[in-house]
Amino acid sequence: MKPIIFTLLLSIFILLSCDNKVREEQKPIHSTSIDFSQAKIVDLTHLFSEETIYWVTAKEFELDVVAKGETDKGYFYSANNFATAEHGGTHIDAPIHFSKNGQATDEIPLEKLVGSAIKIDVSKKALPDPDYKISIEDFLDWEKRENIQIPDGSIVLLETGFSKFYPDKLKYLGTDKRGSEAIKDLHFPGLSNEAAEWLVKHRNINAIGIDTPSIDYGQSQYFKSHVTLLSENIPAFENLMNLDQLPSKEFNIIALPMKIKGGSGGPLRIIALLNN
């Protein structure tokens, strides 16, 4: 009987050990813990108003005041209607924006939009050169300085410094004209397609964001960085602000877009949480 009991106990121990190992492997890995009572909140979202910057061919923001004032029943009442394109101001590019089989705005998993983030500051190169394309070297330089590889599941934010020009269209976009004829005059930094391809092939990121109107640079004609990233279901956040207030790593992002069914994008409220 003793050998049988010993074998039974050993089997139970092995099963419990395996169960514990599976549970440990299933635990989500967070590079940064959040203490909401101590966290500093940084708003990365531009206001939506008549000054909001949109793509030169997109419908601009309109606010229609329906009511604002005292009612005949003695209480104050305010209500508005608004109309806007999906892609303008601080917004999200859903994968379907440039990928036929990509996720729509309402289909993006929340895990892609909330989590630990890093910031790569290229403003010293980008501010003097409105056609600057963020390179593979910029990512490798960040990894060398920080002595780490871009962590798996990161939200990657790219700081060009161009948000300082917002909402001056001429300085921010390169033109204050509108319509398809204005496209040729767009000048602002973006991500090179080589760097976008390197990210999807050699790193594992959840989302990417930039403080310019587009993840592709202004003079792009084929939007290859969009196609490369969005084809891998990596959403992009555009027209961010206050990136200069963020550290290079160890902070968290909450990026929640308007949940438009079948949307190719939408207005985005995005914040960063910094542990003090």
Side-chain angles (χ1 to χ4, degrees), residues 28-36 39 114-118 148 151-154 247-253 273-276:
I29 300 172
H30 300 287
S31 62
T32 310
S33 60
I34 306 175
D35 182 353
F36 285 93
V114 177
S116 60
I118 68 164
I148 59 169
D152 286 352
S154 289
S248 60
K249 61 181 179 180
E250 296 181 353
F251 63 95
N252 289 273
I253 287 294
L273 297 172
L274 283 59
N275 282 335
N276 289 332

Side-chain angles (χ1 to χ4, degrees), residues 48-199:
F48 281 87
S49 72
E50 68 279 358
E51 292 187 316
T52 301
I53 291 181
Y54 281 77
W55 196 251
V56 292
T57 56
K59 178 182 175 62
E60 295 183 294
F61 184 84
E62 295 178 3
L63 187 72
D64 176 27
V65 179
V66 176
K68 188 172 185 179
E70 296 292 330
T71 68
D72 56 5
K73 295 183 180 179
Y75 58 84
F76 177 86
Y77 178 69
S78 177
N80 306 304
N81 294 330
F82 71 89
T84 181
E86 289 177 317
H87 301 276
T90 303
H91 69 281
I92 190 170
D93 281 1
I96 200 173
H97 188 36
F98 276 86
S99 174
K100 182 178 180 179
N101 297 314
Q103 296 160 341
T105 307
D106 60 304
E107 297 171 329
I108 301 171
L110 289 176
E111 291 78 8
K112 291 267 189 177
L113 307 175
V114 177
S116 60
I118 68 164
K119 182 192 77 171
I120 296 174
D121 181 0
V122 298
S123 57
K124 289 182 179 179
K125 297 178 181 179
L127 282 171
D129 180 6
D131 294 320
Y132 185 72
K133 289 183 282 186
I134 299 165
S135 66
I136 297 171
E137 183 183 6
D138 289 320
F139 290 106
L140 293 175
D141 285 346
W142 183 92
E143 293 186 336
K144 185 176 180 180
R145 285 194 305 271
E146 302 298 335
N147 197 31
I148 59 169
Q149 185 171 291
I150 295 172
D152 286 352
S154 289
I155 295 172
V156 176
L157 303 184
L158 306 174
E159 181 187 356
T160 69
F162 260 60
S163 65
K164 67 187 288 185
F165 301 132
Y166 195 100
D168 186 322
K169 291 180 180 178
L170 190 58
K171 292 181 178 179
Y172 188 72
L173 289 169
T175 180
D176 55 6
K177 299 175 184 177
R178 290 192 54 74
S180 57
E181 286 300 310
I183 293 175
K184 69 180 185 305
D185 299 321
L186 293 171
H187 292 277
F188 52 79
L191 180 68
S192 72
N193 183 52
E194 294 78 14
E197 289 181 345
W198 179 84
L199 277 174

Side-chain angles (χ1 to χ4, degrees), residues 16-44:
L16 287 173
S17 298
C18 291
D19 183 59
N20 287 335
K21 184 177 181 182
V22 169
R23 289 182 183 180
E24 286 176 3
E25 290 175 349
Q26 289 176 341
K27 288 180 182 178
I29 300 172
H30 300 287
S31 62
T32 310
S33 60
I34 306 175
D35 182 353
F36 285 93
S37 65
Q38 299 294 323
K40 176 184 176 182
I41 301 174
V42 179
D43 193 349
L44 307 182

Side-chain angles (χ1 to χ4, degrees), residues 233-249:
N233 279 325
I234 298 172
F237 314 139
E238 296 171 335
N239 292 316
L240 303 182
M241 64 179 290
N242 290 333
L243 297 189
D244 60 323
Q245 297 183 27
L246 305 181
S248 60
K249 61 181 179 180

